[in-house]
Amino acid sequence: MRTLVAWSSGFCLALIARAADQFSESSYAAKDVIKRDFVVVGGGASGTYAAIGLKDKGKSVVLIERKGRMGGHTETYTAPDGTKVDIGVQAYDNNSVTLDFFARFNIPVSEFTFAPAPAPLYADFGTGSQLKNFSGGTVHDDYVAQLNKYPYLNDGLELPYPVPHDLLLPWDDYIQKYNLQDSAWASTAARPAPPGDLLKLPAMYVFNSYNQYQLAEGQARSNAIATARQDNSELYEKAQAELDANVLLSSTVTAGQRASTRAGGIRLVVTTPAGKKLIIAKQAILGIPPVLDNMKTFGLDSHEQGILSKLQGWSFYVGLISNTGLTQDHWYTNAAANTTYHIPSLPDYFWFKPTKIKGQFLYWYSASQPTSQRAIEAGAAATVNRMHAIAGTQRTSKPTFPAFADHTPFHPYVSTQDIANGFYRDMYSLQGYRNTWYIGALFVVGAVQIWNNTMNLLPEIIAAAE
């Protein structure tokens, strides 16, 4: 028995020693130890903006991205003939932050337009019935007046406490209380949203998602821009080329050691296509959704675990379906035939929008749990068949699926009770805790808002490293 106890104790000590060794420089060849001022995790909108911003201020940085490219939710399909189709982020708010960032890479921009410019056709995607007398329209002044009551929701979720009771109301109750029926569909069903009954969302999330930036983009053409070459991924390709060897693509953090003092800094073990690397940095900047599944390798303490465990993401997918046989003159939009305000319940497709390629449509799909590409594409083909029935046409060829992207987990959220109990106050308090900073789509949704918030936070992040 003593021998067994001694062996067990020795084995446990060996495991502890091995875990500690993975953070020691002596365990790696010199070429596999990367020392930088900052490590950025995630190469999407926020991570890219942060990395370039730090570089421009003379700071050393390394960026870790799990995919084989930078860009995050910005993805572009290139057809065999070279035609570009943006399947992720479509447009940007026309303001100085956007213009400066594109100018930084000498990328020309132009007014964003839909090409082609289809007329909306509202249909129940489940039944294939057209809602001929329905129009989703746009939000009205009644919605704007309510949004203006909460200016702090435009740039984040720094809420007053106690949280105003109205913001915790289910959206349907808020609509009823303030007679927002005319704005109900446009404010609720026109953008990516969590699965389930969208009218049960806390009003806070609706206002935070459809904020002043989104209103500006949607209500005036001159307020929405895209790249003149109709390739929004161009920005990230140029950023990646400039960062060069300081970008680790197809790489993941497998272990983390984050000190409680600034002097202790950050150590991350990263698995890359070229083997394991040890990154030693002063501060870590996380542009990834901080749900537990993404954070489990960062060495969370109980305080962090208690906060981040409340977050839940949802599954969101985009794709292209070609050879549909449908004409380009309609933007097929999901509107339920028999629900309040005709708002569809998810999981389902939001819409099928024609691209500039004949017979090709872009679709968005939201789900309550991870869903296979095969199932989503099969559902898209079935929905297209129902649209043919509405149009009185027939499919003459088998559809193809040239592009598909998984954006899970998308815009993490918490329960109404957690909002009331101070989740976002606690989340903001984690900024800088254990030398770690949170950027990305946790507090805002739009890329330009993310850039703006990151720009405003960078001075504080830099100061923490000095």
Side-chain angles (χ1 to χ4, degrees):
M1 179 62 73
R2 289 182 179 177
T3 301
L4 178 59
V5 171
W7 180 87
S8 298
S9 299
F11 180 72
C12 291
L13 290 173
L15 288 178
I16 294 171
R18 183 179 299 176
D21 286 344
Q22 68 181 329
F23 299 113
S24 171
E25 290 183 61
S26 62
S27 298
Y28 299 83
K31 66 180 180 63
D32 294 326
V33 178
I34 301 172
K35 294 182 179 181
R36 299 289 188 272
D37 294 325
F38 300 92
V39 55
V40 176
V41 183
S46 62
T48 300
Y49 193 91
I52 293 297
L54 291 167
K55 178 179 179 296
D56 286 349
K57 294 183 183 301
K59 306 301 179 182
S60 61
V61 61
V62 60
L63 185 147
I64 304 165
E65 169 54 49
R66 67 179 177 86
K67 293 184 178 180
R69 61 166 189 88
M70 289 172 58
H73 297 319
T74 301
E75 295 199 44
T76 306
Y77 165 70
T78 304
D81 65 359
T83 301
K84 301 283 187 178
V85 178
D86 286 312
I87 68 171
V89 174
Q90 299 287 296
Y92 300 88
D93 187 48
N94 185 2
N95 63 24
S96 60
V97 175
T98 308
L99 297 174
D100 289 347
F101 200 36
F102 279 107
R104 165 69 176 71
F105 295 99
N106 297 313
I107 298 174
V109 297
S110 61
E111 179 184 291
F112 173 74
T113 58
F114 288 115
L121 186 153
Y122 297 94
D124 188 315
F125 285 1
T127 65
S129 59
Q130 182 179 356
L131 281 67
K132 294 183 178 180
N133 298 317
F134 173 73
S135 174
T138 61
V139 296
H140 299 276
D141 290 343
D142 54 359
Y143 177 89
V144 176
Q146 292 300 315
L147 175 62
N148 288 339
K149 291 163 58 175
Y150 314 109
Y152 44 83
L153 295 179
N154 288 313
D155 292 303
L157 291 166
E158 294 191 77
L159 307 171
Y161 287 91
V163 178
H165 174 71
D166 280 355
L167 289 179
L168 302 176
L169 289 175
W171 184 229
D172 191 22
D173 290 357
Y174 198 106
I175 290 171
Q176 296 291 334
K177 183 174 181 178
Y178 292 103
N179 299 312
L180 304 183
Q181 289 84 356
D182 290 343
S183 297
W185 195 93
S187 63
T188 310
R191 299 167 320 286
D197 185 347
L198 301 184
L199 290 172
K200 301 303 181 187
L201 283 174
M204 183 201 76
Y205 281 132
V206 177
F207 287 128
N208 175 250
S209 176
Y210 205 10
N211 53 54
Q212 296 288 0
Y213 292 93
Q214 306 303 319
L215 282 174
E217 286 181 17
Q219 293 186 342
R221 275 189 178 179
S222 61
N223 286 329
I225 60 174
T227 61
R229 289 183 277 267
Q230 300 180 330
D231 177 8
N232 285 333
S233 293
E234 182 182 1
L235 185 149
Y236 296 96
E237 291 166 358
K238 289 194 171 184
Q240 181 178 319
E242 184 168 322
L243 293 170
D244 196 21
N246 290 305
V247 177
L248 303 179
L249 297 176
S250 303
S251 301
T252 56
V253 175
T254 55
Q257 188 180 74
R258 296 173 299 123
S260 57
T261 63
R262 289 187 177 181
I266 298 286
R267 294 189 179 220
L268 299 179
V269 179
V270 181
T271 298
T272 78
K276 285 194 173 183
K277 308 288 183 181
L278 175 65
I279 294 178
I280 301 174
K282 298 175 182 177
Q283 300 285 304
I285 304 170
L286 306 187
I288 58 176
V291 295
L292 282 184
D293 193 50
N294 284 343
M295 298 297 298
K296 60 188 177 184
T297 58
F298 283 80
L300 300 178
D301 65 17
S302 58
H303 178 59
E304 295 166 316
Q305 182 93 14
I307 296 172
L308 299 180
S309 62
K310 296 179 173 63
L311 279 168
Q312 50 186 320
W314 45 282
S315 298
F316 180 63
Y317 308 88
V318 301
L320 292 173
I321 179 170
S322 298
N323 297 330
T324 62
L326 293 171
T327 62
Q328 310 291 96
D329 54 352
H330 288 303
W331 179 339
Y332 296 92
T333 304
N334 197 358
N338 298 306
T339 64
T340 306
Y341 313 122
H342 300 296
I343 294 171
S345 291
L346 305 174
D348 208 337
Y349 302 87
F350 287 89
W351 39 249
F352 287 75
K353 180 176 79 72
T355 74
K356 66 190 79 171
I357 298 175
K358 183 179 179 180
Q360 184 184 86
F361 285 75
L362 169 67
Y363 64 83
W364 288 357
Y365 181 83
S366 178
S368 55
Q369 58 188 4
T371 306
S372 71
Q373 179 177 347
R374 176 179 293 183
I376 293 170
E377 291 177 344
T383 303
V384 165
N385 283 342
R386 288 189 281 274
M387 297 308 102
H388 272 295
I390 290 174
T393 58
Q394 289 186 340
R395 195 180 73 193
T396 58
S397 60
K398 185 177 181 180
T400 58
F401 301 92
F404 180 85
D406 181 353
H407 295 305
T408 306
F410 193 83
H411 195 43
Y413 63 101
V414 298
S415 70
T416 301
Q417 189 60 57
D418 286 331
I419 297 171
N421 289 344
F423 169 81
Y424 286 102
R425 176 189 57 208
D426 296 341
M427 190 67 225
Y428 277 107
S429 75
L430 287 183
Q431 295 290 32
Y433 180 72
R434 298 182 69 200
N435 302 305
T436 305
W437 303 82
Y438 299 86
I439 55 179
L442 177 60
F443 304 116
V444 291
V445 179
V448 178
Q449 295 171 272
I450 290 170
W451 293 343
N452 185 67
N453 285 5
T454 303
M455 177 183 68
N456 291 333
L457 190 59
L458 277 180
E460 189 176 350
I461 296 174
I462 292 170
E466 295 175 345

